[in-house]
Amino acid sequence: MNHDSPLPPLSPRPPHHLAAGPRRVLTTARLRSHGVPAAEIDDRCRPGGPWQRLLPGVVLLHPGPPSSEERLHAVLLYAARERSARVLAQPGPADSTAPRYEDAMITGPAALALHGFPSAPPLPSLEVLDVLVPRLRRLRSTGCVRIVRTPVLPAPERVAGVPVAPVPRALADAVAVLEGADAGAGAVRRLLGEAVAGGHCEAGALVRELTDAKLLGRPHVVRAVASLLAEGRAHAEGGLYRMVREHALPDPLWNVDLRLPGGPHLGGLDAYWPEQAVALHLDTRREDLPDGGVPRSGHAREREHLERLGITVVRVTPRGLRDATEQQAAVVRTALMAADDRDPAAYVVVLPR
């Protein structure tokens, strides 16, 4: 543990009073600050004694097995910078205040369980809890704690009174420890699906974390991601169909390619209204792989080319279809109504995609 500065002394509290408190996991430094000598801590932690050492420098103040909550706090006490422990076990009302740990948060399967993922293993079944810390912290994995390092620590979320890594980071760390291609692929598919379907995060955020963690080199992870993105694309297309139907927009031609007569391919479209020369592109680039496999400049060039031909291009996103359907429909309707005020578009050939 990091002892950046000495802890301020607290008023002495008898050991039996500490053990009766609401939080029965403390560091040895905090116990000493309460007036419990190191020799007494050692004596109480002897085999068969009333206390036990869960981790280096972390003591459980009762002889039985720790609860899931106590294990979470124990690994955070081990990994957090010592000065952040000053808020712990203060006498009086502060005992009821949830501790705040500095430079440490729960990640991996334990974090997913705390976030409420149905397929994540329950906390009591986890032999090891992953804790995310800055890369340069001098800590080692030991006992029930596995140290996971990162160059940039994300902003934690508070779940059940402890700091927890955001879902994309927690999921990437969970995927990193899943072993076996067949079992791993099924577990990754389930976790990715629950993350997106449960509204925890967008697919793009997950893929970015998996990319940063260099996990897309694993074939079973790639297959799971491809399955997720295909499902996400199908779901977004369903939202597009509903928008046209429920907001009484004219029926377009669905999923078409545009070409100049005898000329080059102009691009694929999700919907096209030929009479009004309005094209709709369902843009999943920001929510899929970093650029959807196509350079952003390529998308921009396609749009500019179509607009030079007099075709209005409307871009919608899956998130917009989900969260702001009425506004998306209004944009399309406005583009259709404005067709009479524009110069006629160039003639293009429309082909099924």
Side-chain angles (χ1 to χ4, degrees):
M1 298 178 63
N2 185 308
H3 296 271
D4 294 319
S5 59
L7 293 169
L10 300 176
S11 55
R13 305 176 75 188
H16 66 82
H17 182 70
L18 290 170
R23 195 169 298 114
R24 298 192 291 170
V25 183
L26 291 175
T27 64
T28 54
R30 180 55 55 179
L31 286 167
R32 290 194 300 270
S33 73
H34 277 298
V36 184
E40 184 173 355
I41 296 173
D42 291 339
D43 184 59
R44 286 178 168 269
C45 290
R46 71 187 186 283
W51 294 355
Q52 53 186 308
R53 295 185 187 273
L54 283 185
L55 291 163
V58 181
V59 176
L60 180 66
L61 305 184
H62 64 78
S67 67
S68 294
E69 180 183 7
E70 288 169 337
R71 292 178 73 221
L72 288 169
H73 285 285
V75 299
L76 287 166
L77 280 172
Y78 170 76
R81 292 190 184 277
E82 185 64 55
R83 61 175 176 267
S84 69
R86 292 175 183 171
V87 300
L88 300 178
Q90 299 284 351
D95 275 337
S96 62
T97 302
R100 304 194 68 84
Y101 299 97
E102 183 179 332
D103 285 353
M105 64 187 74
I106 302 296
T107 191
L112 296 180
L114 288 167
H115 280 297
F117 277 57
S119 67
L123 285 173
S125 71
L126 292 171
E127 296 182 3
V128 175
L129 302 178
D130 296 317
V131 182
L132 189 63
V133 302
R135 183 177 58 193
L136 299 181
R137 292 292 310 284
R138 290 187 294 176
L139 288 167
R140 62 182 179 87
S141 299
T142 183
C144 65
V145 57
R146 178 166 45 217
I147 297 299
V148 181
R149 303 179 188 280
T150 180
V152 180
L153 205 64
E157 300 177 17
R158 300 288 297 188
V159 182
V162 297
V164 178
V167 165
R169 176 68 207 223
L171 197 147
D173 289 332
V175 168
V177 298
L178 289 172
E179 299 295 339
D182 294 336
V188 172
R189 277 197 301 272
R190 286 191 297 274
L191 291 172
L192 289 174
E194 289 171 12
V196 176
H200 295 284
C201 62
E202 298 292 340
L206 293 179
V207 176
R208 284 190 292 273
E209 284 288 352
L210 293 171
T211 302
D212 291 344
K214 298 179 173 55
L215 293 169
L216 290 183
R218 301 184 182 185
H220 68 284
V221 177
V222 173
R223 290 194 296 271
V225 168
S227 175
L228 172 76
L229 298 181
E231 292 173 5
R233 175 79 189 186
H235 183 75
E237 289 177 346
L240 184 57
Y241 299 149
R242 285 192 300 275
M243 181 191 76
V244 170
R245 182 179 66 251
E246 294 174 2
H247 292 272
L249 296 172
D251 287 331
L253 300 177
W254 296 105
N255 297 314
V256 297
D257 279 324
L258 299 187
R259 292 181 182 274
L260 288 173
H265 176 255
L266 298 173
L269 300 172
D270 295 281
Y272 183 59
W273 288 264
E275 292 185 9
Q276 296 85 3
V278 172
L280 186 144
H281 174 57
L282 179 58
D283 191 349
T284 60
R285 287 174 297 152
R286 295 182 184 274
E287 299 175 26
D288 290 357
L289 294 171
D291 283 311
V294 179
R296 291 192 187 279
S297 57
H299 288 283
R301 284 195 300 270
E302 285 183 2
R303 176 170 185 161
E304 290 169 0
H305 196 174
L306 290 174
E307 290 181 341
R308 282 198 300 271
L309 295 172
I311 297 172
T312 300
V313 181
V314 177
R315 172 185 170 273
V316 298
T317 65
R319 182 180 299 177
L321 288 171
R322 186 186 66 231
D323 299 338
T325 309
E326 186 172 351
Q327 292 91 322
Q328 298 284 327
V331 171
V332 175
R333 181 175 287 106
T334 299
L336 294 171
M337 293 174 62
D340 292 338
D341 299 327
R342 299 194 304 268
D343 293 333
Y347 178 76
V348 296
V349 178
V350 183
L351 299 172
R353 190 163 52 168

